C-alpha cells in the first residue's frame, strides 16, 4: 500500500507511531506490574523485541497479501483504541463531554484522514513525528529543573521484571508486526527504515519512563492510570511551558490519531478487495451462464 520510492522517512514515521502508541494509554500497566523495576523490565523488553525482530524479519520483509482473518483482529483493535482514547480525552481534558460523542469525533477524524492513500497518511505521520520530536525536546527542557535521581531504586524482583518485559514486548512488537504486514514496500533500502523507526520509538519510550521515574517517581505513578500526565503537570508549572500546555494536548494523542487512521485505511483496503472479489465472481458466473446458454 505504500509505494512512493522516496518514502524511507514515511516508513520510519509509521513504524515509530505503531510502536509508541501504547505508552500513553497503557504504559501504566507495566509500572503496576514491575513497580520500581519498570526501567529494568523495559530494557529487557527491548532485548526481547530485538530478538523477535531478528527471528521474524524474513516475515516482515516478505511481501504478504494480508489475510481476511486479520479483519476481526483489526476491528477489535480499532474498537479498543477508540474507546480508550475517548476515555483519556474525557478524563484529562473534556470531563463534561460525553464519551460517545468523543468516539464519534475520533471515528470521523480517522475516516477523514483514511480517505487518502496510505502514502499520504504516511506523509502526515512524518509531519506529526517532527512536531512530536520538537515538543518532546521542550518537555525534556522543562523537566530538567526537578529531576530527582533519588527516586531511582529497584527491588530486583525477577518475576515482576520478566512479566513487565513480556508485557512491554507485546505492547510494542505486536502492533509493529501488524503494520509491517500491510506495508508493501519491502525493498532493501526500506529495511533500515523499518528497524530504525522501531528502535527510535523504543528509545523515546525508555526516555519517557525515565522522566516518570525521575519526576513523580515510579512508586507514586503506579496509582495513576495516566502517569505521564504527572510529568506534564510538573512541566506546566513553569509559566513559559504552561503556555505550551494546549499544544501538548495535541502532542499526547498524535500516536492514536495516526494509528487509528491507518487501521481505518487497512479496513478500507479489505472492503475494496471484497468488492473486487465479488465483482470477479459475478463476472465469472455471468460468463459461465452465457457459455452454458450457448
Amino acid at each position: 500500500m505504500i509505494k512512493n520510492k522516496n518514502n524511507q522517512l514515511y516508513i520510519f514515521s509509521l513504524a515509530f507511531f505503531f510502536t509508541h502508541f501504547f505508552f500513553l494509554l497503557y504504559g501504566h500497566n507495566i509500572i503496576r506490574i514491575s513497580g520500581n523495576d519498570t526501567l529494568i523490565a523495559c530494557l529487557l523488553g527491548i532485548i526481547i523485541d530485538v530478538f523477535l525482530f531478528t527471528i521474524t524479519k524474513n516475515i516482515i520483509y516478505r511481501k504478504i497479501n494480508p489475510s481476511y482473518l486479520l479483519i476481526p483482529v483489526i476491528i477489535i483493535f480499532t474498537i479498543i483504541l477508540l474507546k480508550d482514547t475517548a476515555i483519556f480525552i474525557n478524563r484529562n481534558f473534556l470531563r463534561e463531554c460525553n464519551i460517545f460523542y468523543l468516539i464519534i469525533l475520533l471515528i470521523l477524524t480517522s475516516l477523514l484522514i483514511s480517505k487518502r492513500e496510505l502514502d499520504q497518511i504516511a506523509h502526515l505521520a512524518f509531519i506529526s513525528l517532527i512536531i512530536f520530536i520538537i515538543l518532546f525536546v521542550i518537555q525534556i527542557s522543562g523537566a530538567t529543573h526537578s529531576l530527582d535521581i533519588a527516586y531511582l531504586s529497584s527491588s530486583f524482583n525477577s518475576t515482576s521484571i520478566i512479566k513487565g518485559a513480556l508485557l512491554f514486548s507485546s505492547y510494542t512488537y505486536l502492533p509493529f508486526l501488524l503494520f509491517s504486514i500491510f506495508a508493501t514496500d519491502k525493498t532493501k533500502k526500506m529495511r533500515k527504515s523499518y528497524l530504525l523507526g522501531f528502535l527510535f520509538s523504543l528509545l523515546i519510550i525508555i526516555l519517557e519512563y525515565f522522566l516518570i521515574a525521575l519526576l513523580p517517581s515510579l512508586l507514586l505513578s503506579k496509582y495513576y492510570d495516566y502517569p505521564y500526565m504527572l510529568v506534564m503537570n510538573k512541566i506546566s508549572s513553569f509559566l513559559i511551558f504552561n503556555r505550551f500546555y494546549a499544544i501538548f494536548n495535541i502532542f499526547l494523542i498524535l500516536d492514536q490519531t495516526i494509528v487509528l487512521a491507518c487501521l481505518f485505511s487497512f479496513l478500507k483496503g479489505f472492503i475494496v478487495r471484497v468488492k473486487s472479489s465479488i465483482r470477479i465472481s459475478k463476472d465469472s458466473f455471468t460468463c459461465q451462464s452465457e457459455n452454458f446458454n450457448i
Side-chain angles (χ1 to χ4, degrees):
M1 291 183 184
I2 300 177
K3 301 174 183 177
N4 191 325
K5 293 182 178 180
N6 300 313
N7 65 351
Q8 288 95 325
L9 289 175
Y10 300 164
I11 286 285
F12 177 95
S13 303
L14 285 178
F16 172 88
F17 283 116
F18 264 82
T19 306
H20 183 270
F21 90 95
F22 89 95
F23 174 76
L24 181 67
L25 301 180
Y26 312 113
H28 65 281
N29 291 331
I30 298 173
I31 296 176
R32 288 176 179 173
I33 288 175
S34 300
N36 287 340
D37 295 322
T38 296
L39 293 174
I40 299 174
C42 291
L43 290 171
L44 179 59
I46 289 177
I47 294 174
I48 294 173
D49 279 350
V50 173
F51 174 74
L52 289 175
F53 184 89
T54 302
I55 63 176
T56 61
K57 64 181 180 181
N58 289 333
I59 297 175
I60 291 173
Y61 293 151
R62 188 180 302 163
K63 290 186 178 180
I64 301 174
N65 194 16
S67 169
Y68 291 114
L69 295 175
L70 284 176
I71 294 178
V73 175
I74 294 176
I75 291 174
I76 293 171
F77 189 10
T78 304
I79 292 172
I80 292 173
L81 189 55
L82 280 169
K83 174 181 70 69
D84 291 341
T85 303
I87 291 173
F88 169 79
I89 295 172
N90 176 259
R91 289 184 182 179
N92 292 280
F93 308 122
L94 300 173
R95 292 183 181 275
E96 297 181 0
C97 187
N98 189 291
I99 291 179
F100 175 76
Y101 295 145
L102 290 173
I103 290 176
I104 295 298
L105 179 61
L106 287 169
I107 290 174
L108 292 175
T109 303
S110 301
L111 284 174
L112 181 64
I113 298 174
S114 65
K115 286 182 68 175
R116 301 177 177 274
E117 295 297 325
L118 198 56
D119 281 357
Q120 295 170 307
I121 298 175
H123 191 139
L124 176 62
F126 173 63
I127 296 172
S128 299
L129 181 58
I130 293 174
I131 297 171
F132 181 98
I133 293 172
I134 292 171
L135 294 178
F136 186 64
V137 170
I138 293 174
Q139 279 186 303
I140 293 177
S141 302
T144 52
H145 75 286
S146 55
L147 297 178
D148 192 343
I149 198 170
Y151 288 152
L152 286 180
S153 62
S154 176
S155 56
F156 291 100
N157 185 319
S158 59
T159 302
S160 65
I161 290 173
I162 292 173
K163 287 181 178 179
L166 292 174
L167 185 61
F168 178 93
S169 183
S170 65
Y171 276 148
T172 53
Y173 196 73
L174 292 180
F176 169 74
L177 187 61
L178 177 66
F179 158 71
S180 67
I181 291 174
F182 285 88
T184 58
D185 192 341
K186 301 182 180 182
T187 54
K188 286 186 177 180
K189 67 179 181 180
M190 290 298 158
R191 296 182 179 184
K192 287 185 179 179
S193 299
Y194 277 80
L195 181 58
L196 290 177
F198 181 51
L199 294 178
F200 181 66
S201 178
L202 296 178
L203 172 63
I204 294 296
I205 291 170
I206 283 293
L207 291 176
E208 288 169 330
Y209 272 114
F210 262 107
L211 286 178
I212 293 175
L214 296 175
L215 281 171
S217 81
L218 293 168
L219 185 61
L220 175 64
S221 298
K222 71 178 182 179
Y223 298 107
Y224 290 82
D225 290 334
Y226 309 109
Y228 202 65
M229 294 304 295
L230 297 174
V231 175
M232 297 293 293
N233 291 333
K234 284 269 189 179
I235 294 171
S236 66
S237 62
F238 276 124
L239 178 61
I240 184 173
F241 291 105
N242 192 38
R243 295 173 182 174
F244 282 104
Y245 196 70
I247 301 175
F248 282 143
N249 295 348
I250 301 173
F251 157 84
L252 289 169
I253 59 172
L254 278 177
D255 298 346
Q256 286 69 33
T257 304
I258 296 299
V259 172
L260 282 170
C262 285
L263 292 174
F264 275 93
S265 180
F266 297 162
L267 288 172
K268 183 181 72 173
F270 275 123
I271 292 172
V272 171
R273 285 175 58 193
V274 169
K275 287 182 177 179
S276 177
S277 298
I278 293 174
R279 190 181 301 111
I280 292 172
S281 298
K282 284 184 177 180
D283 292 342
S284 177
F285 179 77
T286 302
C287 289
Q288 290 177 1
S289 298
E290 290 176 351
N291 291 335
F292 178 77
N293 291 331
I294 292 173

